Amino acid sequence: MHPLVRDLFKRFIIVGREYPIPPPFVRDKAAKAFEANAHLTDFVEVKRAVARGRWMVRELIGVIQLKKYRTMRKRYASANDGALESVERLAKEAFGV
């Protein structure tokens, strides 16, 4: 196995731990994708497939960050909703926005 491919699979496993869907889902999807590209032998093709995999890892990280943000907002935003509404009201009065 090429070292870039091995590193990419490790990234999927590590990121999959925090993904909203249980880790076996991410691991199984990654394994299927790796098996589908197992026939690649040309270094350029391997590198292109690894680049796409890294893009997928970044997308997973984005979903995880969005989930964390929404959870935090749900927990703490309700306490500050009154303050936010008053600021919005003042902005509308002052600037007509």
Side-chain angles (χ1 to χ4, degrees):
M1 180 183 290
H2 196 279
L4 291 174
V5 176
R6 188 178 318 115
D7 178 60
L8 181 62
F9 193 75
K10 287 179 184 178
R11 289 180 192 213
F12 269 109
I13 298 301
I14 291 169
V15 169
R17 291 177 188 162
E18 295 185 33
Y19 195 69
I21 300 174
F25 174 79
V26 176
R27 185 184 60 235
D28 294 342
K29 287 288 188 177
K32 284 181 185 177
F34 279 83
E35 289 172 7
N37 291 320
H39 68 281
L40 298 178
T41 55
D42 184 32
F43 181 70
V44 176
E45 292 177 4
V46 171
K47 205 163 183 176
R48 188 175 296 135
V50 168
R52 175 149 172 76
R54 286 184 178 171
W55 177 80
M56 291 300 299
V57 169
R58 286 193 302 270
E59 290 293 317
L60 291 174
I61 291 171
V63 170
I64 292 166
Q65 290 175 342
L66 181 64
K67 176 191 170 243
K68 288 181 179 181
Y69 170 77
R70 286 180 175 169
T71 302
M72 184 182 68
R73 178 136 174 134
K74 190 185 302 181
R75 286 180 187 163
Y76 300 111
S78 61
N80 295 330
D81 281 347
L84 183 61
E85 290 171 359
S86 64
V87 170
E88 289 175 351
R89 184 175 35 82
L90 290 173
K92 284 181 183 178
E93 292 173 0
F95 303 110
V97 176

